[in-house]
Amino acid sequence: MSAPDDDARSSVRMEDLVSLCARRGFIFQSGEIYGGINGFWDYGPLGVELKNNVKQFWWQRMVRERDDVEGLDGAIITHPRTWEASGHVANFSDPMVDCRLCQKRFRADQLEGIAPCADADDGAHRFTEPRDFNLMLQTHIGAQADASSVAYLRAETCGPIFTSFKRVRDGARQKVPFGIAQIGKAFRNEINPRNFIFRSREFEQMEMEFFCHPDESPKWFAHWKDVRMQFHRDLGIDASNLRTRPHAPDELAHYANAAEDVEFLFPFGWQEIEGIHDRGTYDLAQHSKFSGKDLTEFDERTKERFTPAVVETSVGADRTTLALLCSAYREEELEGGDTRTVLGFSPTVAPIKVAVLPLSKKLREPARGLLADLRKRFNVFYDESGNIGRRYRRQDEVGTPWCVTWDFDSNDDGQVTVRERDTMTQERIPAEGLRRYFEDRMEEGL
Ligand code: GAP
C-alpha cells in the first residue's frame, strides 16, 4: 500500500493503455467471449513477448550472471503441509465486508473509490463487520474429493524453494550464503481484483530467496536492495517513477527484521511492484519443525550449527510489465498537427526489435531474405501492406525501436534505410552486416 498522504499520479490514462493493449494484442480479458472472469488475463502475441523479455532479463541478472544464485522450477501444487508450515492456511487472509443491500463483497481496507450501492437510495453501502477471508485457492488431488485430498495452488512461488533447499544446495554444491531463484505462476483468490493486471487472481512472480548466516542478513538486505533497484532502472523504468518505501513497524511480519517495497508511480498512484524482506530464520525453522528434517548448516568459523536466515526479493512479472507499459506510453504532437502514439520501450524489453518494410510488394524477395537473416537473432516483424508512414506509426504504437525499409535503390546499392522510433531519423546502412549493426545497437540501448 502506498503512503495515504501521497496522491501523486502519472499523466498516462489507464483507459488509453488498456484499450491499446486490447486493440494491438498485448493483454485482454481471459474468456472474453463468455463475459470473462474478473482477475484473469490472456497475454496476446505482443504481450507474451514483452513479459518473456522481462522474465528473461530477470533470469539473466539474478541467476546466470551470478555464482551464488541457482535456478529452480518447482511444482505449482506442492505438499499441503508446506502451506501449513508457512502460515498461509491459518493466516493468509484479507479483511472482507459484504454490503447487506447489494450483496457485493469488498476488501475492508480498500473501500476508497468503490462504486455506490445500486440498491440504496442514498448510494451508501450497508456493510457487515469485517471478517477474514482466506486467499488460498483450493483443489483436490486424486479421485476422492474430501478433507484428506485438499491441496492448494501456491499463493507465492517461494514454497518449493524452501522445501527443496537441501536438494538444490547439495546438487549445485553450494554453501550458505547462496540463493535460489524461481519464476512461475501464483494464485490468490483476491476479493477485489483491480487496476488491469496490477491485482489479479492468477499472476506470475519472480522470487529469489537468499540463505545466509543470521548475523549477515542486514548486509545482504542492503546488497539486494541496490541490485533490485538497478534492475528496474536497466529495464528502462524512469528513476523518477521509482522509489523504495520501508515498512512501518506495525506492517512488519512478527518474524521479519526489515522490509522495503519498491514502488512505481502508476496512473492510480504509488504502488508496490516488489517486496524485499529480511525474513530472519522463520522459513527454514518452520519447515524443519513441520517436516522433522534438519535444515541447519554448519558454521566452520564457530563450529556451531545454525538455521539460515532468508533475504527475499519478490517481484511480480505482471506488475513489472504494467509499470513498463505505463512508463513507455506517450502521445506526441507532430509537425503538421498529426499525433502519434508511442510505446518507448528499451530495446531489451521491446516485443518486436526490428520491422522489415519493403517499399513495394515487388521488393518482397530481397526484403524477406533480410528478414530471414535478422530472425536468427531477434524477434522481427514483416509488413508489406499500406503506405510507409502508416506502417511506421503502427510500429511506433507497439514500441518497435527500428524499422528497416528496402526500396528500389537497395537492389542497386545494397543499402537499406533504418528509421529510429524515438527520433524518427533515417540512416542508410549496408544491408550486409545489418544483423551485427542491430546487435551493437541492442548492446548500447537506444
Ligand atoms: N513471497 C512474498 C510475497 O509473495 P507479496 O508482497 O505478497 O510477497 C510479491 O508479493 C509481489 O508479487 C508483489 O510485489 C507484486 O508484484 C506481486 N503480486 C502479489 N499479489 C499480486 C496480485 N494479486 N496480482 C498481481 N501481482 C501480485
Side-chain angles (χ1 to χ4, degrees):
M1 293 279 285
S2 58
D5 58 341
D6 195 328
D7 59 357
R9 294 279 186 277
S10 89
S11 58
V12 177
R13 287 164 14 122
M14 276 308 281
E15 48 276 39
D16 294 336
L17 198 62
V18 173
S19 140
L20 172 69
C21 282
R23 187 162 41 81
R24 295 304 308 269
F26 278 92
I27 305 163
F28 32 84
Q29 197 167 29
S30 186
E32 206 174 3
I33 59 166
Y34 293 108
I37 337 175
N38 203 1
F40 295 90
W41 299 94
D42 288 348
Y43 284 67
L46 295 176
V48 66
E49 290 287 341
L50 177 63
K51 187 155 70 145
N52 275 346
N53 291 339
V54 170
K55 292 190 285 185
Q56 273 162 21
F57 189 61
W58 186 88
W59 195 258
Q60 175 67 23
R61 282 288 167 88
M62 298 294 283
V63 181
R64 294 207 172 151
E65 289 180 13
R66 299 196 60 120
D67 294 327
D68 58 357
V69 178
E70 303 292 340
L72 177 74
D73 184 9
I76 284 176
I77 295 176
T78 185
H79 198 289
R81 292 279 283 170
T82 309
W83 307 112
E84 288 170 32
S86 65
H88 279 78
V89 173
N91 301 318
F92 192 58
S93 51
D94 279 333
M96 180 177 73
V97 289
D98 291 286
C99 172
R100 292 196 176 90
L101 299 181
C102 66
Q103 315 298 328
K104 285 208 170 125
R105 296 195 148 164
F106 301 92
R107 246 177 87 162
D109 56 347
Q110 289 180 353
L111 294 175
E112 203 184 305
I114 60 169
C117 176
D119 295 322
D121 294 338
D122 58 0
H125 292 280
R126 307 294 195 274
F127 290 126
T128 57
E129 284 301 306
R131 60 189 189 288
D132 285 340
F133 175 76
N134 193 291
L135 303 185
M136 296 283 283
L137 274 159
Q138 276 191 16
T139 186
H140 289 274
I141 305 294
Q144 227 151 295
D146 59 23
S148 69
S149 64
V150 167
Y152 303 96
L153 274 62
R154 63 188 181 197
E156 52 184 17
T157 52
C158 56
I161 293 183
F162 298 128
T163 55
S164 296
F165 161 72
K166 269 197 141 179
R167 278 273 177 217
V168 176
R169 185 200 58 187
D170 296 347
R173 299 177 59 236
Q174 282 283 3
K175 276 206 174 99
V176 166
F178 81 100
I180 304 178
Q182 175 168 225
I183 300 176
K185 291 266 184 175
F187 303 83
R188 295 184 189 177
N189 199 5
E190 297 282 357
I191 300 167
N192 289 133
R194 60 181 184 167
N195 288 329
F196 195 27
I197 53 170
F198 179 82
R199 186 179 305 287
S200 33
R201 289 175 166 142
E202 175 177 339
F203 54 95
E204 276 186 282
Q205 288 184 317
M206 308 185 284
E207 296 202 295
M208 191 279 314
E209 311 297 322
F210 197 81
F211 301 92
C212 60
H213 192 284
D215 292 349
E216 294 197 324
S217 67
K219 179 184 94 181
W220 285 110
F221 182 79
H223 168 82
W224 282 110
K225 202 175 112 179
D226 289 348
V227 169
R228 295 305 307 145
M229 286 303 279
Q230 190 60 43
F231 168 89
H232 292 291
R233 289 192 291 265
D234 290 348
L235 264 186
I237 300 179
D238 196 304
S240 63
N241 288 334
L242 282 172
R243 69 180 188 189
T244 53
R245 188 185 67 82
H247 281 204
D250 64 343
E251 277 180 277
L252 274 183
H254 64 89
Y255 49 79
N257 297 321
E260 293 206 20
D261 289 343
V262 179
E263 293 189 335
F264 173 77
L265 184 58
F266 286 100
F268 40 90
W270 285 101
Q271 292 287 343
E272 171 191 338
I273 54 173
E274 171 155 9
I276 302 168
H277 298 199
D278 175 349
R279 301 175 54 90
T281 57
Y282 176 79
D283 301 289
L284 290 190
Q286 283 292 100
H287 287 296
S288 187
K289 186 169 141 195
F290 276 69
S291 66
K293 300 286 185 308
D294 177 14
L295 298 175
T296 58
E297 293 280 295
F298 185 67
D299 186 342
E300 301 286 352
R301 218 167 16 101
T302 61
K303 309 290 177 213
E304 282 170 355
R305 296 203 73 82
F306 67 95
T307 301
V310 168
V311 174
E312 173 184 76
T313 72
S314 175
V315 60
D318 309 271
R319 277 193 199 175
T320 307
T321 301
L322 183 58
L324 280 168
L325 282 161
C326 293
S327 278
Y329 185 93
R330 61 177 192 264
E331 283 167 21
E332 282 179 9
E333 291 260 342
L334 301 175
E335 277 173 34
D338 252 11
T339 55
R340 67 165 187 160
T341 302
V342 182
L343 285 177
F345 293 131
S346 70
T348 309
V349 298
I352 299 169
K353 311 295 184 209
V354 180
V356 173
L357 317 172
L359 211 53
S360 149
K361 287 183 182 159
K362 293 186 188 129
L363 299 167
R364 180 179 298 163
E365 204 184 310
R368 286 205 72 93
L370 189 65
L371 171 74
D373 182 53
L374 293 176
R375 269 189 177 162
K376 290 186 183 135
R377 186 69 180 74
F378 310 110
N379 189 33
V380 185
F381 183 76
Y382 180 80
D383 185 5
E384 60 180 28
S385 56
N387 90 30
I388 191 70
R390 202 164 310 133
R391 280 187 271 166
Y392 284 153
R393 293 284 175 279
R394 285 179 59 76
Q395 292 309 307
D396 292 342
E397 197 182 46
V398 299
T400 307
W402 299 287
C403 291
V404 176
T405 311
W406 190 287
D407 56 28
F408 288 98
D409 289 341
S410 309
N411 286 348
D412 302 327
D413 65 8
Q415 304 223 353
V416 290
T417 303
V418 175
R419 183 251 192 198
E420 287 208 5
R421 177 196 64 208
D422 290 350
T423 57
M424 293 187 282
T425 52
Q426 304 190 0
E427 201 185 350
R428 291 292 280 178
I429 306 273
E432 214 182 286
L434 200 62
R435 185 156 33 128
R436 188 61 224 239
Y437 170 84
F438 285 126
E439 277 165 1
D440 291 347
R441 299 297 307 271
M442 286 287 297
E443 283 278 308
E444 72 200 32
L446 254 190

